[in-house]
Structure formats: structure tokens, C-alpha cells
Amino acid sequence: MAQSSHHRPHHIHVGAILDMESPVGEMAQQCMTMAISDLNASPSHINHPLKLILHPRNSMGQPLKALSSAVELLENERVDALIGPQTSEEAELLGELGDRVPIISFSASSPLLSREKNPNFIRMTTNDNSQVGAIAALVQKFGWRELVIIHEDSSYGNGIIPDLLLTLHEGNARVAHRTVLPPQARDIYVEAQLYKLMALSANIFIVHMSASLASRFFIKVNELGLMSTGYGWIVTDGIVNELPVMDQSVLDSMQGVIGIRPSIPPSERLHNFSTKWRNNFTNQHHQIPEVNVYCLWAYDSVWALAKAVYHLGPTTSMQKNDSANELAHLAAIHSRRTGSDLVHTILRGKFTGLSGEIQLKNGQLQQPLAFEIVNVIGRVKRIGFWTQWNGMTQGLNRSNVATQSPSLRKMGSIGWPGSSSAVPKGQRVMPKTGKRMRIGVPIKKGYKELVGVELDPETNATIVTGLCIDVFKAATDLLPYEVKFDFIPFPNSTTGSYYEDLIYHVYLQQYDAAVGDITITGNRSSYVDFTMPFTETGVAMIVPIETSRSTNMWIFLQPLTVDLWLVIGAFFVFTGCVVWTIEHGDNNEFKGPLAQQIGMVMWYSFSTLFFAQREKLISNFSKVVVIVWLFVVLILTSSYTANLSSMLTVHQLQSSPKGESIGFTVDSKLIQTDLINLPFKNPHFPPLDTVEDCVNALRDGSRNGGVSAIIDEIPYVKVFLSKYSAQYTMVEPSYNSTNGFGFVFPKGSPLVPDISASIAKLREDGKLHLISQNWFQNRSLFTNQDSATKVARLDFYSFRGLFLITGITSTVAVIASYKFRKKQSTTAQHEVADQPVEETFPPIPTKIMALICGNIAGTLKLLRSFYL
């Protein structure tokens, strides 16, 4: 019986918290499964009574999801240990459970994670600080003295920065700038930060961020031309370790990047594992993923845990599982004595794993004996090694010892960005000192506000002015170096494609650049480089402003909404009733038969509309009511008159109906392509070279050989409207837009990113707007067609304050008048108690009083409903 009990297997439950959505998480789970399979099949453990069972959970890369998964594993699966999570942020959060069960992470490398806060946290990976020496050695080897650090704003991204800055400083390298990116940064934010980097003189970048962010980051880097000749990029091991599982599009964007990763010594066991790995994936994937170091560390984590559990024996494990039964929720998870025992046993363990010698120091894997230096050139290529003792070397022996003496610190050939073999110099490659750039500028008949070329009759010197010229000069002034240039007028074209010929001359490098009103297009960008646009993008339509009169016979009712008409009518009646109530007792003009008094109420109330009331008021209370009401009537009549006048005579924007002609300006072929399917009679109208040509064509109209509207890019339209905004306006079209104007440079010019960064700086500082305002004086150019042809009707909501004031005033006046007269009557009765007194205040007929009270109550109710 004892023998049977001894061989009865006791299960050790291990939780694995991984991001199954990521390639690393998927591979790590596969490696841990293979590790457990190898353990159970191992000859030394095949008869052992302890067996490991893996319980994987998907954290989806979310720290809170990882925490909830850990609590669920502790409560429901009664796990003895947790392997994972992958990220430093998840590990930091799960560290709160570290005093309950051992937590082994094979990829959380942030130096901010320490065992002082979480004594049961084990890092089965290297600390990020271990690679700063290799990075500094690379910087020093290539003689770079100024560089930029770009890192992720997270526990992982920030942890390495203090040691990296200190090590670079000791190597006499200056960090000119640091750029911090949020882990979930949007592409537009990344692009904006890259534009800022373009304005810097440094062109060597060190990147430390997660692989997911790096994938999107380097695609943007490549799109903006920062992965071209003259630039240098160094990436840390967090990115390099995941290069084998990145998309090919990302690798294509990283051509020329160099990076660091731990060196894994070759072994027969590692070779056998790799063979088994490929065999397992042969039937599952068309492309077999390459085993990376995280997969090996995950495998070794399982073996380290298993060796510790085997050493402690089955009794300890069973005690741990019994204590796990008591778990109810996170707050109820108590520390377990055997959890600390297991941690101490793992920390004292020493064995040879797939990744090399496994020996933990201070709760983490010891620094690798060597780091590999890799280069992304077509594929990931190893070009050398770095060791703490020998520095840079080209090869290592099987013991990770340098095969060359320190004096022969050479590396393999390196492919730099832009397919260059020359080491970046650490500063931008600029035109040689003393060489003046030849800048081609177009000669235009009109629109000289954009670019104008004149010859000085006395000196015969070329004078070039305009918006495009001012922006180019302002952009070059912001460069951290001097650029000398001369503007060369481009002669008239003989082919009829003036701008295409100018761009073609830049392509042939007969000009170093072209500056002018040159639109950015995809076709042109295939053989020249454009800077970022410095003008507004899109096209707009110029139309005449016409005056028309309304013929609607009921237009006099339209200035006010229906609810406002009803409220005004109700208050006319209400005010008349209030005045009659106050004046009826003392004023003979408000006395008489019932019909006459009702007529008096209506007449007096509505006569205030024209200030034509003839009746004299006696009571001060009624005078106050009428004064307030006359103020309300004055506001209402003035507003009504103004709104009616606007409706009777409005400015209309004449749009181009079907069957009418439309005009274009100088470089109009680009816009005609966009408008070819629009319902215009003559969309290919001959180009209008000057502003005066446009005015004459619009005045003639379609019926007289002119045009009904002109469509062109917004800068041309602004020039036109700066002179003729009184007769014409600009409306926003609904068809495709253009990309704006840009400066033209030959392909691969190093000035393109710098000029683009200067333009971005001008736009951020508001200087670009000031330059534009200097040439386009009229600020209110853009008009919405609907807002120009429609006048808003006045509603009750706009005047609710007025009605509230007159309603309260009238109500208070009626109450005060009644109390005053009652008090006055009582006093008079006491003074002449023995004498017959003629009735001063004849009783108000019951029907009239009911009518007044009902009117007052209804009006107050209406006011309350509208006000609320």
C-alpha cells in the first residue's frame, strides 16, 4: 500500500497568463506545452509522483484582464504558481499577488520591477539595463556624438532611460532630444512627432518600445523619408526579439536598422528542440515561425518550476492545494508559507536550459555573456557580438568568448538606410558649402500674389515675390544650417504642359528644386519628391452674388414662428385684461356695458402695437404695466421688421445649374480630371490666365460666351476674392479635393524632410497664417451656400425673458392694486361710518372677473411650460 501511494501521481497546477492575440503569446504557450511534455517523458521524472498541468488564460494584452485571470486561476484551478504575464505593466499589477504564489515572467524586462516590492516575483529574463552597454558601444564605435532617444511612455519604456542616459553620457554622446510616445498612440500623433524630429540636426535615433508600437512607428518613419541615406537607427532587444514574427511590410520599412539581442549559445538540446518545433508546425502553418528567445525562456521557466517542485516533494504541493481551497476572492487570498519555499527553491536552482545556463541572481536571470548585433537588410542578419569584457567582436566560440583580440574589433558589413554602405556621420548630409542651389520658378501672367517674376529694368536682376516665395524663405531660415540659393525663372514651355516640364527639369536635376504654385499629385510624386503642403488642400467654386426679391404673398407671417405668434396674441389679451382690471374702478373710460368693456380690453391692448392708445390711465400700477409692455412691443416690432426685411431682399449665390459652362485657371488639367463626370455643359473651358480674365468671363455668363462659375484650387480662389469679394464669393464644393501646393526636389534629396519640418513649425507657430494674410487681405472668403440664402425665423425661445418680465410685472400689479384699493376702502369706511357713502368701486361683473382670472391663469401656465 505504501508503494502504491508513493507512485500515485500528484498534480501540480500551473497557471499561464499570456496574450494569445500576439505571436509571442501563442508561441510561448506552445513552448510551455512542449516543456511539460518533455518533463513528463523525461527518464529521470517518468516515475516521479508529481505531474505538471498547464492552465493557460488569455490576457489580451490588458493588465486588468491579466489580474482577473490570475484571481480566477487561484480560486477555481487552485494553481501552485503563475507563469507570465508578458508585459511589464501586467507583471507590475500582478505583483500584488506575489506574496501568495510565485509569479514567473519570461518577458517582463522593465528595471522598475523589483523583488523589494514583490518578493515572490521571479524574472526569467534579462533586465533591460543589461543592454545599455552594448548600445553605448555601438554609438561610440561609429563616432556618433549627438542622437535622439524615442521610447514608449510606459513602465517598460521608461525603465531603461536613466541607465541609458548615464551610459551614453559617459561615452561622450549627447542626447539632443527625447520623444515619448503613448503605447496606444494614433498614427496621426506619431506622424506629428516625426515631423518635429525632422527639424533637429541629429539624425541618429535609439528606439525602445514594444513590438506592437514599433510596427506602426517604423511604417510611418519609412513613409516620411526618415529611413533614407544619412540616417541611423538602433533598436533594443524588445523589438529585435520579435522581428522574426513581424509582418513583411514592417521589415521592409526597417531596412538598414541595427539592433541588440541576447546571444543564445548553440547546443545539441537546442538543435533537437528546434527540429521538434518545426515538425509540430509543419501540419499547422504554411510558414513555420522561428523560435525566439522568449519561447526558450518560457520553456526554461517550466523546467525551473518543475525542478523546484520535485525538490520540495508531494507533501508540500498537497498542502498548497488545500490552502488554495480557501480562496474566495482577491482580498481573501492569504500568503502561503510553501509559496515562499517554492520561490527560494527556484532562486537557488541552477541548470542548463535551452537558452543556456540558468542561474538567477537578485530574482532575475543573470546578464547574458554576450549580445548579438543584428542588421535588418533583406532579412535579420547577425553582424557581430558585444561582450562586457571584450566589447565589439565579429565572432564567439562555443563558450561565448571572443575569438579575436580586443584590437581587432571588427564587424560584418552593414547595410544602412537608403541601401547605403556608408556609416551615417551623425549630422544631416547637406549641399556642399559654397554651392548655390538653382531654384526654378514659374513665370505667370496672373496670380502674382502666389508667385511673381519681374525684371529690374536698371540692374536686369530677377525679382521674385509671392506667397510661395515667402514661405520657402521662411522655411529655409528655420533650418539648422545655411542654404544658399538663386531663383531661376523657367522659360515658357513649348509642349503646352508648363508645370509638367518644370517638374521634369527637376527630375533631370537641371534644377535643384522648384518653388511655386505646384500641386502635389501622385503621378508627379513618382519621379520627384514633394515637401508637405504649405497651402490649404482642396478646390472651391467662385460664383456671383445675386440679389433677388421674394414673391410669396404670405411672407409677412414667416419672420416669426407659430408658437411666437400665439404667445404674442395671448399676451396682448392678457395685458389688456390687466389694464382693465386695474383701471375699471376709477377710470370712466373703462366702464360701461359688458360688450363695450370687452371691446375696450381688445382695443387698448392691440393699439399699443402702434402706440395709438387714446385712453388716459389713472392708476400708477397700470402705467407700470403699460410701460413694460410697450418696451416688449418695441423689441418685438423691431425684430420682426429686421427679419422681414432680410427675407424680402436676400443675397443669393448663383450656383451652376446643368447645361451651363464652368471655367478653370492656370494649372487646370488636374481639376478637369476630377470634374469630368459633373453635369456642366463645357467642363473643358479654355484656362483663364489672370484674375481679370476670370472677372470678364463671369460677367459675360454662359449665355454670352463666358462662364457661370469658376472652380479651382483654394489659393487661386483666395487671390481672386481678395480683390472682388463684394461681387463674388466662394462656396464649398462636394467633389474630390487636391493635395495643395508643395516644393519640388529631386528624388532622395535630404532637404525634403527638413523643409517639411520647417513648414510644420511655421504652421504650429502661426507664421504660415500670417504670411498668407499678408497676401490675402480679405479674411471672410468662405461662404456656406445654405447660410447665404436662408434667414432664420424668430421663435419664442429667443424672447422668453421678455415675456417672463411682462407677465410677472402684470401679475404683481393686479395683486398690488387689489390690496391697495381694499385697504383704501376699509379706511374710508371707518372715517365716514355714520354717513351714507356712494359706492366708489362698483362690483366687477362676475363673468368679466372670471374671464380675467382665467386669462391670467392660462397665460401663467403657458409661460411656465415654455420657460421650462
Side-chain angles (χ1 to χ4, degrees), residues 638-833:
S638 300
S639 302
Y640 173 84
T641 303
N643 218 34
L644 181 60
S645 300
S646 300
M647 289 183 174
L648 289 173
T649 303
V650 298
H651 291 296
Q652 289 188 339
L653 308 182
Q654 178 188 354
S655 59
S656 295
K658 295 183 178 180
E660 296 194 2
S661 299
I662 186 171
F664 306 93
T665 54
V666 186
D667 194 16
S668 59
K669 290 186 177 181
L670 303 174
I671 300 178
Q672 292 181 26
T673 303
D674 289 338
L675 306 180
I676 192 170
N677 295 323
L678 290 183
F680 294 115
K681 178 181 179 181
N682 186 13
H684 299 287
F685 191 85
L688 305 170
D689 295 329
T690 65
V691 173
E692 289 70 24
D693 292 342
C694 295
V695 173
N696 294 332
L698 286 170
R699 287 174 179 172
D700 293 340
S702 296
R703 298 180 181 179
N704 298 319
V707 296
S708 297
I710 293 177
I711 294 181
D712 218 311
E713 294 179 84
I714 291 179
Y716 294 115
V717 175
K718 282 190 172 183
V719 173
F720 179 92
L721 294 180
S722 65
K723 299 180 179 180
Y724 297 98
S725 60
Q727 298 85 21
Y728 305 93
T729 189
M730 176 169 67
V731 294
E732 185 178 4
S734 58
Y735 29 85
N736 295 335
S737 298
T738 58
N739 297 319
F741 296 162
F743 302 129
V744 182
F745 290 88
K747 275 288 187 182
S749 172
L751 280 173
V752 173
D754 293 347
I755 296 292
S756 295
S758 296
I759 294 172
K761 180 66 174 176
L762 290 173
R763 181 173 281 113
E764 291 175 0
D765 295 342
K767 296 180 180 179
L768 196 60
H769 176 71
L770 294 177
I771 296 174
S772 177
Q773 288 298 110
N774 184 44
W775 291 98
F776 309 135
Q777 299 297 330
N778 195 326
R779 298 187 179 184
S780 57
L781 302 176
F782 226 105
T783 305
N784 185 281
Q785 189 167 358
D786 292 336
S787 64
T789 58
K790 294 182 180 179
V791 180
R793 302 177 68 186
L794 302 176
D795 56 7
F796 170 74
Y797 189 81
S798 303
F799 300 98
R800 65 191 188 282
L802 288 175
F803 290 112
L804 181 63
I805 292 172
T806 186
I808 294 175
T809 303
S810 300
T811 304
V812 172
V814 169
I815 297 173
S817 174
Y818 174 75
K819 290 186 177 181
F820 177 76
R821 291 196 301 182
K822 184 177 180 181
K823 181 179 180 182
Q824 190 179 39
S825 176
T826 303
T827 303
Q829 288 178 3
H830 285 295
E831 291 178 355
V832 291

Side-chain angles (χ1 to χ4, degrees), residues 304-324:
L305 175 63
K307 286 180 176 292
V309 171
Y310 294 161
H311 178 79
L312 291 175
T315 304
T316 301
S317 175
M318 292 302 294
Q319 291 175 354
K320 291 175 63 180
N321 281 327
D322 291 340
S323 64

Side-chain angles (χ1 to χ4, degrees), residues 135 138-139 144 204-207 232-236 257-260:
I135 296 173
L138 277 174
V139 172
W144 296 328
I204 305 300
F205 304 93
I206 298 176
V207 181
W233 294 86
I234 301 176
V235 296
T236 56
V257 170
I258 58 177
I260 312 281

Side-chain angles (χ1 to χ4, degrees), residues 153-425:
D153 189 13
S154 64
S155 174
Y156 165 73
N158 297 326
I160 193 178
I161 300 304
D163 273 22
L164 180 59
L165 291 175
L166 179 61
T167 307
L168 291 173
H169 176 73
E170 292 174 352
N172 297 322
R174 185 178 76 90
V175 177
H177 183 75
R178 277 175 58 195
T179 295
V180 183
L181 299 176
Q184 304 299 328
R186 299 174 60 185
D187 289 348
I188 189 172
Y189 180 84
V190 174
E191 185 173 339
Q193 297 304 310
L194 289 175
Y195 275 126
K196 292 179 181 179
L197 294 179
M198 291 179 179
L200 302 176
S201 59
N203 64 332
I204 305 300
F205 304 93
I206 298 176
V207 181
H208 177 66
M209 59 182 63
S210 63
S212 59
L213 178 58
S215 298
R216 297 186 291 110
F217 173 81
F218 277 104
I219 288 178
K220 281 296 176 185
V221 167
N222 190 47
E223 289 178 356
L224 296 182
L226 288 170
M227 197 63 69
S228 56
T229 303
Y231 289 93
W233 294 86
I234 301 176
V235 296
T236 56
D237 64 351
I239 299 174
V240 177
N241 289 336
E242 294 198 40
L243 286 177
V245 294
M246 287 186 179
D247 292 339
Q248 186 60 42
S249 60
V250 178
L251 293 178
D252 293 340
S253 301
M254 297 179 65
Q255 295 299 303
V257 170
I258 58 177
I260 312 281
R261 70 182 178 190
S263 176
I264 304 300
S267 64
E268 182 178 358
R269 186 182 177 192
L270 177 60
H271 174 74
N272 295 335
F273 175 83
S274 299
T275 302
K276 184 178 179 181
W277 173 269
R278 287 191 294 270
N279 293 336
N280 287 346
F281 275 85
T282 300
N283 299 325
Q284 303 177 25
H285 296 267
H286 296 290
Q287 183 177 0
I288 302 174
E290 180 181 342
V291 179
N292 60 23
V293 68
Y294 293 133
C295 184
L296 303 181
W297 283 332
Y299 184 98
D300 291 340
S301 298
V302 174
W303 275 76
L305 175 63
K307 286 180 176 292
V309 171
Y310 294 161
H311 178 79
L312 291 175
T315 304
T316 301
S317 175
M318 292 302 294
Q319 291 175 354
K320 291 175 63 180
N321 281 327
D322 291 340
S323 64
N325 288 329
E326 301 175 0
L327 296 175
H329 48 75
L330 178 59
I333 301 176
H334 300 290
S335 301
R336 293 182 249 184
R337 177 185 60 81
T338 52
S340 299
D341 294 340
L342 186 57
V343 170
H344 294 321
T345 306
I346 295 174
L347 294 177
R348 291 194 301 267
K350 182 178 180 181
F351 66 97
T352 301
L354 292 181
S355 60
E357 289 295 323
I358 302 299
Q359 185 174 5
L360 301 175
K361 183 179 181 181
N362 297 326
Q364 62 188 12
L365 203 62
Q366 285 188 337
Q367 178 175 328
L369 297 177
F371 279 92
E372 290 184 7
I373 313 298
V374 300
N375 182 208
V376 183
I377 183 71
R379 55 183 178 84
V380 181
K381 172 187 174 184
R382 185 178 64 203
I383 56 175
F385 297 87
W386 176 87
T387 65
Q388 189 174 1
W389 301 275
N390 297 318
M392 294 291 178
T393 182
Q394 193 171 358
L396 298 174
N397 59 21
R398 296 183 64 87
S399 300
N400 276 357
V401 178
T403 58
Q404 300 176 4
S405 64
S407 60
L408 298 176
R409 295 170 185 163
K410 297 181 180 179
M411 298 175 64
S413 59
I414 301 176
W416 297 100
S419 301
S420 173
S421 58
V423 177
K425 299 182 180 298

Side-chain angles (χ1 to χ4, degrees), residues 584-588 591 821 838-845 849:
H584 176 74
D586 298 327
N587 196 334
N588 293 330
K591 296 180 179 181
R821 291 196 301 182
E838 182 182 354
E839 186 176 1
T840 305
F841 304 104
I844 301 174
M849 180 60 75

